[in-house]
Amino acid sequence: MNLSFFDQFSSPTFLGIPLILISMTFPALLLPSPGNRWITSRLSTLQLWFINLITKQLMTPIHNKGHKWALILTSLMIFLLLINLLGLLPYTFTPTTQLSMNLALAFPLWLATLLTGLRNQPSASLGHLLPEGTPTPLIPALIMIETTSLLIRPLALGVRLTANLTAGHLLIQLISTATMALSSTMPAVSMLALLVLLLLTILEVAVAMIQAYVFVLLLSLYLQENI
């Protein structure tokens, strides 16, 4: 029984071929395709307004030098948001519950921000490893601590996204299983569990949106530190 709860996190296959790439590319079908006109429908207008809102929220705190990252960060935000929300539909697979995928997204972008800082302002970037006014005996220990905290940033990004989405999916499956199991024996308790399930689903929609925003926001903060 315990293993069946985690079957939803295994990558689906068809004739031995993993389908995770299809589930990762499916959100692109929901985006408006370019045409000859700026505005084609109300839906495209709403999507463009939403994309513009995300871009402004991410780029406002960043220095002008970091605005060249706008396309990457906005695209990543929309990609994670659509995958997280589509994963809440029944009989779907959520690629962002896989730690390997989240680390594959977090590590290259974190490394890019770090290399940007080391190239543009090496003294300031290395200066973050040693706070000003540190007593001399504590310098080696603080350098090791700051270096460790710097290196685990991509791991923290990936684990945070994976853990929050995995926990939410498990809770939804546990409560839905309890609702179905109690429907014949204790209808009142089953209805109460159903109400909890509806509230939890609304919460998971919010978590899916917040986690996508937090993932990209932390990357933008790392970028701000290095420019």
Side-chain angles (χ1 to χ4, degrees):
M1 190 64 166
N2 292 333
L3 292 177
S4 64
F5 287 147
F6 292 92
D7 288 343
Q8 59 178 316
F9 303 118
S10 59
S11 177
T13 59
F14 179 73
L15 298 178
I17 302 174
L19 301 180
I20 187 172
L21 293 179
I22 297 179
S23 60
M24 290 173 60
T25 55
F26 181 75
L29 300 177
L30 302 177
L31 299 177
S33 57
N36 296 328
R37 294 179 294 176
W38 282 101
I39 299 176
T40 56
S41 64
R42 291 184 176 89
L43 179 59
S44 64
T45 304
L46 181 62
Q47 289 175 330
L48 290 175
W49 171 82
F50 184 67
I51 292 172
N52 184 42
L53 178 64
I54 293 176
T55 306
K56 288 174 62 176
Q57 289 290 331
L58 292 176
M59 294 295 109
T60 299
I62 299 180
H63 191 269
N64 291 337
K65 294 181 180 179
H67 287 182
K68 64 182 69 175
W69 287 65
L71 179 61
I72 297 176
L73 295 179
T74 304
S75 301
L76 179 62
M77 171 76 180
I78 297 173
F79 174 73
L80 292 176
L81 182 61
L82 291 177
I83 282 185
N84 292 347
L85 292 177
L86 290 175
L88 294 175
L89 298 176
Y91 303 104
T92 56
F93 172 70
T94 312
T96 44
T97 57
Q98 307 294 313
L99 182 60
S100 57
M101 174 184 165
N102 295 334
L103 289 179
L105 292 174
F107 183 77
L109 293 174
W110 165 82
L111 185 60
T113 61
L114 183 62
L115 294 179
T116 299
L118 292 176
R119 184 190 64 180
N120 296 335
Q121 46 180 14
S123 300
S125 298
L126 294 177
H128 290 303
L129 301 179
L130 184 63
E132 187 177 357
T134 304
T136 304
L138 297 179
I139 288 178
L142 280 179
I143 290 178
M144 293 179 61
I145 293 173
E146 292 295 330
T147 303
T148 303
S149 65
L150 178 65
L151 295 178
I152 66 173
R153 281 180 174 181
L155 180 62
L157 282 176
V159 170
R160 180 187 296 107
L161 181 59
T162 303
N164 281 282
L165 295 180
T166 301
H169 283 65
L170 283 177
L171 281 175
I172 289 177
Q173 185 169 0
L174 285 170
I175 297 178
S176 60
T177 303
T179 303
M180 294 299 297
L182 297 173
S183 59
S184 58
T185 57
M186 290 183 286
V189 179
S190 178
M191 292 300 296
L192 180 61
L194 179 61
L195 178 61
V196 174
L197 179 61
L198 292 177
L199 295 177
L200 181 61
T201 303
I202 297 174
L203 177 63
E204 281 305 306
V205 172
V207 168
M209 299 173 65
I210 291 172
Q211 289 303 317
Y213 178 70
V214 168
F215 188 93
V216 181
L217 178 64
L218 289 175
L219 282 175
S220 66
L221 293 178
Y222 300 157
L223 176 64
Q224 177 64 20
E225 288 183 359
N226 291 284
I227 57 174

